[in-house]
Amino acid sequence: MGTSRTKGSPAGSVLRAVHQRFVTGEIDAQHLDPAAVRPVIADSWRRSLATGVDPDRGGAQFTPVVPKTLDQIRADQPISAALPVIRKLLVEDAKDSGVMVAVAAADGTLLWVEGDPTALSKGEAMNFVPGANWSESSAGTNAPGTALALDRELQIHGSEHFARLVQPWTCTAVPVHDPTTGELIGCVDLTGDSQIASAQTLGLVRATVMAIENHLALQRLLQPAANPVIAARLTVLGGDRPRWIATGDDGQPHQHTLSGRHADILVLLSRHPEGLSADHLAMLLDDNDLDSVTIRVEMSRLRRVIGAQYVASRPYRLLTPIESDVAEVFAALHRGDVDAALSHYSGALLPQSVSPAIARLRTELGESLRTAVLSASAAGHVGLLRRWLALPDGRDDRHGWQLLRNHPSADPVVRAQAVGHLAGLDADLG
């Protein structure tokens, strides 16, 4: 199936010549003329070359998985539940139209490839078959693989494909997201000749994906009520490494030590139940503004650590409230229970964090507790004051030590300790 000049794509002969010069090293991606190669394609060619994709083999280098393994892969993919919708909306009309319909998992594995028998036979020649890995890093620039890599809908025209074996084809792919969490779960692709590279084709695939996501959402609404969401706890106060503790399927608590960045994210999400966009979260985490790709990578890693059932996307938000020591301190202060607040407070919030938003929250929490303790001390509660001064935050609290020294309820030994500590602070200043 040959290609022709299509809207938004340069002429095939020109593009093939540019592709040849690129793969042979005559020109690099940074010097590709955007009038000849779309920037999104140039970037994909660069990534394909960097990951070692062979332009003369492409998809043909893959070994399909055995049927039993493929059945298991399909069973584990949430997009599989929407296969009847895909067949109804796309496959039935593709059987005699020269078009293949492919359904891919989020990692680029083709789960189903159905449609026109002649097209399917030609697709087999380049290993465009169920079980083959058509991720961009394995197959080079192609609609399903690149759409998944970028998490965006995409049309690839003929010679825009990185592998020459795939260049007789034109493809349109749209990612599919979990309707609850927003997580990328796969994509739907239409592959055929140049005539399918149209706005109408893109609209058809986009509408099918909307139907898929609605179908998955409806299925969940109709399912019997599941067991309550697994309880989870976040510990982020004090000098110890931040920890995530959740009850597993076996009914036992499982503890995970968190990276500083993941702990920052969970604290910020817990303080923003309305959710945060990738850009807003990036700004809160770093004054230099992390890019949205970095945020998506971190969120993907975080889900692998704690479980995807806790965090949703678009915007990023907690799917269920979680317990945390920082929330317990704030709650106790809100109730006016300074004793309970001190009991929950084991030290500063994520003291190693350089996130500007965490730094502000750390200051807010520490100063709120300190003010509450000093106010309680003025009302006669010297025990609360002594507990505060025993914490790392209170060791250099000169005003607090002066209150203890002068407190009418303090015994002589306690006053003497306060006098000595104040002398030490003065020596440090000297």
Side-chain angles (χ1 to χ4, degrees):
M1 297 180 179
T3 60
S4 62
R5 183 178 181 90
T6 54
K7 186 177 180 180
S9 174
S13 60
V14 174
L15 193 56
R16 282 193 296 274
V18 174
H19 177 270
Q20 173 65 18
R21 295 181 63 200
F22 175 79
V23 298
T24 56
E26 291 185 46
I27 51 176
D28 58 36
Q30 283 70 34
H31 295 92
L32 289 171
D33 182 358
V37 185
R38 291 187 289 159
V40 67
I41 301 300
D43 290 342
S44 179
W45 281 4
R46 175 181 52 77
R47 292 192 298 269
S48 301
L49 194 64
T51 54
V53 178
D54 185 346
D56 292 316
R57 298 186 67 195
Q61 63 188 308
F62 312 123
T63 302
V65 295
V66 297
K68 183 178 180 181
T69 306
L70 178 58
D71 287 342
Q72 185 58 53
I73 292 173
R74 287 169 168 170
D76 293 339
Q77 300 299 321
I79 196 174
S80 299
L83 185 62
V85 175
I86 300 169
R87 284 176 170 157
K88 180 68 174 176
L89 296 179
L90 291 181
V91 176
E92 289 184 6
D93 292 332
K95 289 180 178 178
D96 58 356
S97 61
V99 174
M100 293 184 286
V101 178
V103 182
D107 65 358
T109 301
L110 299 183
L111 301 174
W112 284 273
V113 182
E114 302 179 357
D116 182 89
T118 301
L120 293 175
S121 178
K122 292 180 179 181
E124 289 177 6
M126 62 179 183
N127 212 20
F128 197 72
V129 294
N133 181 356
W134 276 73
S135 63
E136 184 189 75
S137 60
S138 295
T141 307
N142 71 93
T146 304
L148 289 169
L150 300 178
D151 193 7
R152 55 164 283 188
E153 57 190 38
L154 196 65
Q155 289 186 316
I156 304 291
H157 312 272
S159 296
E160 289 182 329
H161 289 92
F162 185 76
R164 294 185 178 93
L165 195 65
V166 194
Q167 289 180 353
W169 302 90
T170 295
C171 313
T172 299
V174 177
V176 180
H177 297 89
D178 184 289
T180 302
T181 67
E183 187 79 354
L184 180 67
I185 60 173
C187 76
V188 175
D189 168 79
L190 273 186
T191 293
D193 63 17
S194 60
Q195 295 179 357
I196 73 164
S198 65
Q200 290 80 2
T201 301
L202 180 58
L204 175 61
V205 181
R206 187 187 292 142
T208 300
V209 167
M210 291 179 61
I212 290 169
E213 294 174 352
N214 289 337
H215 176 77
L216 295 176
L218 181 60
Q219 271 197 330
R220 293 178 186 177
L221 287 174
L222 296 177
Q223 286 176 346
N227 293 328
V229 176
I230 298 172
R233 177 175 178 79
L234 179 65
T235 303
V236 287
L237 296 181
D240 293 339
R241 293 287 300 277
R243 299 185 305 280
W244 172 270
I245 304 172
T247 304
D249 293 337
D250 57 3
Q252 301 299 314
H254 296 270
Q255 178 171 296
H256 301 280
T257 300
L258 300 172
S259 69
R261 175 58 56 79
H262 288 167
D264 288 347
I265 290 171
L266 286 170
V267 169
L268 293 174
L269 293 182
S270 71
R271 301 296 294 176
H272 292 269
E274 74 283 3
L276 295 167
S277 67
D279 289 340
H280 192 182
L281 184 56
M283 181 183 66
L284 294 176
L285 288 171
D286 194 325
D287 275 332
N288 296 320
D289 289 345
L290 300 173
D291 58 73
S292 58
V293 173
T294 301
I295 294 297
R296 287 201 299 269
V297 169
E298 287 292 350
M299 296 304 295
S300 179
R301 291 171 178 166
L302 176 60
R303 287 189 180 97
R304 287 198 294 270
V305 172
I306 69 172
Q309 69 270 32
Y310 292 104
V311 183
S313 303
R314 301 186 179 189
Y316 293 118
R317 64 193 187 282
L318 293 174
L319 287 170
T320 181
I322 61 174
E323 297 178 355
S324 71
D325 47 3
V326 64
E328 289 167 343
V329 175
F330 273 123
L333 289 174
H334 182 73
R335 298 192 307 268
D337 190 343
V338 183
D339 179 74
L342 271 172
S343 296
H344 291 303
Y345 189 81
S346 56
L349 168 65
L350 295 172
Q352 304 302 319
S353 175
V354 295
S355 158
I358 294 296
R360 288 193 295 273
L361 189 60
R362 182 192 305 133
T363 300
E364 177 187 347
L365 182 66
E367 284 301 311
S368 295
L369 181 58
R370 175 180 181 271
T371 300
V373 169
L374 297 186
S375 296
S377 170
H381 299 288
V382 69
L384 296 178
L385 178 60
R386 293 185 64 184
R387 287 168 59 192
W388 166 253
L389 296 175
L391 291 169
D393 302 54
R395 290 172 188 164
D396 296 330
D397 186 348
R398 184 176 181 80
H399 181 58
W401 284 103
Q402 289 174 335
L403 286 178
L404 183 62
R405 180 194 61 191
N406 300 328
H407 204 285
S409 299
D411 60 46
V413 174
V414 171
R415 288 200 184 95
Q417 179 189 8
V419 169
H421 197 90
L422 285 167
L425 292 176
D426 289 341
D428 288 341
L429 293 174

